[in-house]
Amino acid sequence: MTEPLAQSMGPARDPSVIVVFGADGDLTKRKLIPSLYHLAAGNLLPKEFAVVGLGITPMSTESFRAKLSQDIQEFTNASIEPAPWDWLHERLYYVSGDFRDPHAYRLLEDALARVDKAHGTMGNYLYYLATAPTFFAEIVRQLGLRNLTVQQGGSWRRVIIEKPFGHDLDSARALNEELLRVLEETQIYRIDHYLGKETVQNILVFRFANGIFEPIWNRRYIDHVQITVAESLGVEHRGRYYEAAGALRDMVPNHLLQLVSFVAMEPPHSFDADAVRDEKAKVLRAVLPLHPLDVLRSYVAGQYGEGEIAGVPVPGYREEPNVSATSNTETFIALKIFIDSWRWADVPFYLRTGKRMPKRVTEVAIQFKRAPFMLFRKTAIERLTPNQLVIRIQPDEGISLSFGAKVPGPTVRMGTVNMDFQYAKYFGSAPSTGYETLLHDCLAGDATLFNRADNVEVGWSVVEPVLDVWKALPPTSFPNYAAGTWGPREADELLERDGRQWRKVTGQS
């Protein structure tokens, strides 16, 4: 068998097996296996390591390995080096079975015993539930019945659960209760792949390691915060899921509110997982609850019609596969929230996310208050442009700060200039799917970037008033924005009523 050189294996990690439920699905071939390959190529996996896939598709281990050898060529954004891929390839195993069938778990138990013996993985198992949410509780229950979640003799057992974690507050609570009948909270890793992005993690370092920013990170200096998560793609093959979810459920309780909590949290006493997650939970608990009338004023829903993306005609949402021709599911959401804390009182947070936007971009824009104008009254300067700090999360990760500078010449004229930092230019770019850090952290037992039960539930509690209003008064004006635009006109009015406007994202017309 092919073994990497011992001295190149990097930081030691516990011997372990990753068990992927749904190993025959898209997430495995598009994200998980490429991520594990990148970790192997970077010598960030333990020497005693293996992957056991469980899926409903009948397949042998040899067929599984051959399939992934083809998939890795298509879905990784780097050239495949033979040595690390051969090393990982020989550690891939497959079990065929139905997630609801107890016999599948007996086969899995037998396979894990063989893998432990062959690779010295010592009974440390990380279960990755890359399945439909309807299987989450059942898989954990079945694992519990076979004692495959029991931690004994120094071994550990952890479970990664993909989103969506529930579809409202009640279902999230119910799922938490079902999981906690079998698992300890410390065994549950609720994943949000946005938190695997370098720039999201760097928000904490940027804020708390730089003395020049944290003193002005408050209501005295910040006018408002904008967070944009825009996708140029439509729903593609996810029409059936999206019809049941919509943009609000799909993006706000997790991705958007996670970004809010990182931007707005108080300094934790350490970077220990619970210390960070405690502060994030405090932010979300401080979001002002909305009266039903406030929902109508503070939330804007949209659905894309036909239009153009980069000059190419695209269909409207109602023409997408597995979508109703009369669907009232929202593909865009814009909202305004307030955080009722000493630091953030009266500072609005404007959030927007949508599909079929002009470009794919995720960013956080901190707009500072304008400086007093009195000094410039007798100059050619008509108005002062506020400083803006923009944290770009994707696709070109980086941070930029805009400020005013005098234009050369005999008169006082001002221009806006940018100090721009790009990760790829400064540190170089490494192949990444966004899952590498999260998988690595879970293998190390570091839950900092994963959601705790209370974080999930309080996220749902923020949007619960909106879901209640929409049950009584569903949107009726769809479609209300063309594909290739930045959402419905009402989203602009949301800020214009406050005398503000959305930041013009690079490339926006």
Side-chain angles (χ1 to χ4, degrees):
M1 296 176 69
T2 304
E3 296 285 352
L5 294 176
Q7 64 264 31
S8 68
M9 282 306 295
R13 285 287 174 259
D14 291 340
S16 50
V17 180
I18 295 183
V19 180
V20 181
F21 287 85
D24 49 350
D26 272 3
L27 182 63
T28 301
K29 68 182 181 183
R30 290 175 181 270
K31 300 294 184 181
L32 301 185
I33 295 300
S35 296
L36 290 173
Y37 165 74
H38 294 153
L39 290 172
N43 304 310
L44 293 169
L45 292 175
K47 181 180 178 182
E48 301 84 2
F49 179 78
V51 177
V52 176
L54 192 152
I56 197 167
T57 304
M59 201 179 341
S60 66
T61 287
E62 290 72 24
S63 298
F64 183 57
R65 290 176 177 179
K67 175 182 179 297
L68 292 180
S69 291
Q70 291 182 332
D71 292 337
I72 193 73
Q73 301 291 337
E74 181 180 356
F75 295 111
T76 191
N77 54 0
S79 58
I80 304 301
E81 298 178 23
W85 175 246
D86 289 347
W87 181 86
L88 181 60
H89 176 270
E90 293 174 2
R91 285 161 172 75
L92 299 173
Y93 298 86
Y94 187 81
V95 175
S96 178
D98 190 308
F99 305 138
R100 294 160 294 194
D101 183 0
H103 180 62
Y105 297 83
R106 287 194 289 272
L107 295 176
L108 175 62
E109 186 176 21
D110 292 343
L112 288 171
R114 293 194 298 271
V115 168
D116 278 339
K117 185 175 181 180
H119 297 287
T121 45
M122 299 178 65
N124 295 322
Y125 305 149
L126 168 57
Y127 304 105
Y128 197 117
L129 275 52
T131 70
T134 51
F135 293 116
F136 292 166
E138 177 64 13
I139 290 171
V140 170
R141 187 182 73 83
Q142 294 276 7
L143 288 171
L145 290 175
R146 301 295 307 177
N147 290 324
L148 289 171
T149 58
V150 176
Q151 304 183 112
Q152 58 186 3
S155 67
W156 51 257
R157 310 285 165 90
R158 298 168 188 148
V159 180
I160 290 183
I161 297 179
E162 274 280 344
K163 80 173 186 73
F165 197 91
H167 61 271
D168 57 17
L169 180 56
D170 287 343
S171 60
R173 283 174 174 161
L175 181 53
N176 276 329
E177 288 172 2
E178 290 185 77
L179 296 179
L180 291 171
R181 290 193 187 107
V182 179
L183 303 165
E184 300 292 332
E185 175 62 36
T186 55
Q187 293 177 271
I188 305 171
Y189 289 69
R190 301 168 187 83
I191 197 168
D192 184 339
H193 69 268
Y194 263 60
L195 302 191
K197 298 183 184 299
E198 245 357 284
T199 315
V200 174
Q201 300 165 54
N202 191 51
I203 293 173
L204 296 183
V205 176
F206 179 81
R207 284 187 56 192
F208 302 131
N210 295 295
I212 63 174
F213 292 110
E214 188 57 24
I216 58 172
W217 208 264
N218 56 60
R219 64 188 300 272
R220 184 176 178 185
Y221 298 99
I222 292 176
D223 179 78
H224 71 277
V225 177
Q226 295 183 22
I227 300 178
T228 295
V229 179
E231 300 178 40
S232 58
L233 294 175
V235 294
E236 298 183 292
H237 60 282
R238 300 174 71 222
R240 188 171 287 108
Y241 160 74
Y242 213 81
E243 278 287 84
L248 179 67
R249 285 186 169 96
D250 190 46
M251 296 296 290
V252 177
N254 38 70
H255 298 332
L256 283 165
L257 290 182
Q258 286 297 311
L259 293 175
V260 169
S261 62
F262 272 105
V263 170
M265 66 188 284
E266 294 297 320
H269 64 76
S270 73
F271 280 127
D272 289 342
D274 277 333
V276 173
R277 296 191 295 184
D278 285 346
E279 297 303 332
K280 288 169 60 183
K282 289 176 186 176
V283 170
L284 298 182
R285 290 193 186 100
V287 174
L288 280 174
L290 293 177
H291 184 274
L293 288 178
D294 295 326
V295 170
L296 301 177
R297 290 193 292 260
S298 300
Y299 278 69
V300 173
Q303 184 191 95
Y304 65 85
E306 61 183 15
E308 291 187 356
I309 303 287
V312 178
V314 295
Y317 175 72
R318 292 177 176 180
E319 286 74 53
E320 300 279 17
N322 300 313
V323 171
S324 167
T326 57
S327 174
N328 276 327
T329 298
E330 80 286 355
T331 63
F332 174 95
I333 185 79
L335 58 145
K336 177 174 68 173
I337 62 174
F338 289 94
I339 298 169
D340 195 21
S341 69
W342 190 268
R343 182 187 292 263
W344 296 109
D346 302 322
V347 175
F349 282 67
Y350 299 102
L351 319 178
R352 63 175 172 173
T353 182
K355 291 191 173 295
R356 288 299 189 200
M357 304 276 98
K359 65 176 297 186
R360 171 178 172 263
V361 63
T362 299
E363 67 171 36
V364 177
I366 312 292
Q367 182 156 313
F368 294 92
K369 293 183 177 180
R370 284 188 177 89
F373 186 73
M374 72 264 272
L375 179 65
F376 300 93
R377 284 179 184 149
K378 296 182 180 181
T379 70
I381 297 172
E382 296 181 357
R383 63 193 295 271
L384 296 178
T385 302
N387 302 120
Q388 209 170 56
L389 177 72
V390 179
I391 302 170
R392 299 186 308 273
I393 295 168
Q394 67 178 11
D396 55 334
E397 294 182 302
I399 301 172
S400 65
L401 176 66
S402 66
F403 59 92
K406 181 182 177 296
V407 177
T411 60
V412 179
R413 292 184 301 126
M414 189 179 76
T416 299
V417 297
N418 285 304
M419 294 177 63
D420 191 61
F421 155 66
Q422 293 180 300
Y423 269 87
K425 288 184 178 179
Y426 198 85
F427 294 115
S429 58
S432 174
T433 67
Y435 281 75
E436 288 85 357
T437 296
L438 298 170
L439 288 170
H440 184 267
D441 284 359
C442 193
L443 289 171
D446 182 353
T448 304
L449 296 176
F450 296 84
N451 281 323
R452 204 169 53 193
D454 58 333
N455 293 123
V456 170
E457 291 178 15
V458 75
W460 278 114
S461 71
V462 171
V463 302
E464 191 77 4
V466 187
L467 296 174
D468 290 342
V469 169
W470 285 359
K471 284 179 186 175
L473 298 169
T476 58
S477 60
F478 292 165
N480 59 358
Y481 71 97
T485 65
W486 289 93
R489 171 62 188 157
E490 291 84 353
D492 296 326
E493 294 171 355
L494 180 67
L495 274 71
E496 289 170 0
R497 289 197 297 268
D498 299 337
R500 301 181 176 99
Q501 61 182 10
W502 291 107
R503 193 184 96 82
K504 290 189 180 298
V505 178
T506 303
Q508 179 175 346
S509 58

